Amino acid sequence: MDNFAKTKRVLSGIQPSGRLHLGNYLGAIRQYLQLQEQGHQCFYFIANYHAMTSLQDKAELEEATMHVAMAYLALGIDPERSVFFVQSDVPEVTELCWILNTVCPVSLMQKATSYKDKVARGLSANMGLFDYPVLQAADIVIYDSHLVPVGQDQKQHIEITRDVAGRFNQTYGREVLVLPEPYIVPEVAIVPGIDGQKMSKSYDNTIEIFATPKQTAKRCAQIVTDSTPLEAPKNPERCNVFALLKLLAGPTEIEEIAAKYRAGGYGYGHAKGRLAELINELFAPARQRYAELEKDPDNVRQIIAQGGKKARLVAQATMQRIRDAAGILVHH
Ligand code: ADP
Ligand code: TRP
């Protein structure tokens, strides 16, 4: 019982808007798995309502939703221990989004950097995109979540969630909603991509988790490096390949590789080859499981349907509390 009292409600989501990459794994999914292993009450979901703000193609959205579902399962999200579901299987979250909209100042949304970034990149400035953080706040508070494992880019969204939830509590005069904390691991808060910028599907600089070993090696070979010749000494701290190696190799090997960089005679090609090897080793078991899951998509659909039912029960209870607090009468 004591142990249970110490566990936290953990929640996180990923948009089904492309193929998962090393940044998603190191920055978010690895923490999902650790928190699951530690016995917390974990809720992990596929944010398909969010994806609609930028991906408006039926077949692609369906395909990406199944990809993320199989990816989570293959990487080790255990539906027996974590509640694993698709966002739209809990439609109450859109009701809560509306309610939170009514306490969310427009000025707060205007400060949200992800909206500005997305519009600057050419995405259409639709209301869904603008309201994205409020839907995310609804995702988080509807499950009374304490802890939200994410990468650095999501920090502002968690701050907005706290702000909006706090305003709801203030407006209705009681502690109805739980204010969550972000869970960000500094070393992997911003995993660099093959061009040294933050790895992101929007920048076309990712290393995909579910690729073949050959594709992975090819992608690693494309990592941008300077033109220091093979024989010359190199500064590991200025190298995009080394930055990724640091996140994957053990400390002894990292020391060895750093020494080789500094000594010269060690080329970027060597480092890229080792990086590809490490990635392929890391994901070999998950890739195998993914191939198995792909053979039986109905089984995957069943697993997420069950998760959706569990999640919905929790959400419905919270919604009732929220409607009661705000004076929304229900007649049925
Ligand atoms: P993308 O930027 O590729 O669209 P998402 O926004 O779907 O990725 O991110 C899903 C999760 O993975 C979020 O928690 C996000 O913070 C994390 N994440 C994505 N890219 C990185 C990265 N390069 N470094 C650390 N975490 C990341
Ligand atoms: N905005 C998140 C991303 O792009 C996805 C997301 C939606 C999310 N709802 C969430 C993350 C709730 C954490 C909690 O990565």
Side-chain angles (χ1 to χ4, degrees), residues 11-15 45 47 50 132 136 139-140 148 150 154 157:
L11 170 127
S12 196
I14 292 188
Q15 292 188 73
F45 72 98
H50 278 105
Y132 185 113
Q136 182 160 348
D139 284 328
I140 296 170
V148 186
V150 282
Q154 294 299 312
H157 287 159

Side-chain angles (χ1 to χ4, degrees), residues 21-310:
H21 54 73
L22 191 62
N24 297 138
Y25 178 75
L26 297 175
I29 302 171
R30 196 164 64 177
Q31 283 66 256
Y32 299 0
L33 297 170
Q34 282 165 359
L35 291 160
Q36 172 182 273
E37 293 315 311
Q38 289 164 13
H40 295 287
Q41 309 162 41
C42 298
F43 283 58
Y44 297 127
F45 72 98
I46 303 170
N48 58 344
Y49 283 145
H50 278 105
M52 293 180 80
T53 61
S54 56
L55 173 59
Q56 300 179 335
D57 179 292
K58 170 184 158 64
E60 266 185 60
L61 182 60
E62 288 177 356
E63 207 267 328
T65 303
M66 283 305 283
H67 166 67
V68 178
M70 292 188 292
Y72 270 58
L73 292 170
L75 288 165
I77 299 296
D78 174 0
E80 299 293 322
R81 285 184 288 164
S82 295
V83 181
F84 171 51
F85 62 104
V86 177
Q87 186 181 32
S88 57
D89 285 334
V90 186
E92 284 79 5
V93 79
T94 59
E95 178 188 354
L96 180 54
C97 177
W98 179 259
I99 293 176
L100 295 180
N101 273 334
T102 65
V103 295
C104 177
V106 169
S107 58
L108 186 62
M109 290 299 98
Q110 283 167 333
K111 281 186 230 144
T113 52
S114 89
Y115 173 76
K116 287 186 269 190
D117 291 349
K118 286 173 184 171
V119 174
R121 280 206 322 267
L123 287 180
S124 92
N126 64 60
M127 283 304 294
L129 202 61
F130 189 61
D131 206 28
Y132 185 113
V134 181
L135 180 57
Q136 182 160 348
D139 284 328
I140 296 170
V141 300
I142 207 165
Y143 303 106
D144 289 331
S145 314
H146 304 123
L147 213 57
V148 186
V150 282
Q152 180 70 25
D153 58 288
Q154 294 299 312
K155 189 163 185 254
Q156 191 186 37
H157 287 159
I158 315 304
E159 281 159 7
I160 292 174
T161 301
R162 292 176 62 86
D163 191 327
V164 172
R167 282 168 195 268
F168 182 93
N169 289 345
Q170 226 171 17
T171 304
Y172 294 103
R174 341 187 217 140
E175 298 301 302
V176 184
L177 303 180
V178 174
L179 271 50
E181 304 278 347
Y183 181 77
I184 299 174
V185 176
E187 301 76 51
V188 287
I190 308 175
V191 175
I194 63 163
D195 56 359
Q197 286 192 79
K198 179 205 162 214
M199 187 179 290
S200 169
K201 42 193 177 238
S202 325
Y203 305 150
D204 194 19
N205 65 354
T206 66
I207 299 175
E208 286 183 12
I209 299 173
F210 296 98
T212 63
K214 223 171 150 181
Q215 288 165 334
T216 303
K218 201 170 153 200
R219 199 59 173 155
C220 290
Q222 293 168 341
I223 298 174
V224 178
T225 50
D226 63 28
S227 51
T228 316
L230 189 133
E231 318 74 56
K234 299 173 185 66
N235 181 351
E237 297 306 333
R238 288 227 200 102
C239 173
N240 293 329
V241 189
F242 190 78
L244 286 168
L245 279 168
K246 257 192 358 199
L247 303 178
L248 293 167
T252 320
E253 185 178 2
I254 275 302
E255 280 309 308
E256 283 165 16
I257 297 177
K260 286 184 194 167
Y261 264 77
R262 293 194 190 97
Y266 182 80
Y268 293 124
H270 297 124
K272 290 172 176 180
R274 181 61 190 139
L275 178 66
E277 240 171 52
L278 285 165
I279 296 171
N280 287 330
E281 274 166 29
L282 175 64
F283 293 130
R287 288 170 176 176
Q288 209 171 349
R289 280 196 292 272
Y290 189 96
E292 289 301 315
L293 289 161
E294 249 183 334
K295 290 185 199 151
D296 192 357
D298 277 343
N299 170 45
V300 175
R301 277 189 272 270
Q302 246 172 38
I303 293 172
I304 47 188
Q306 280 168 5
K309 282 190 192 130
K310 289 187 214 162

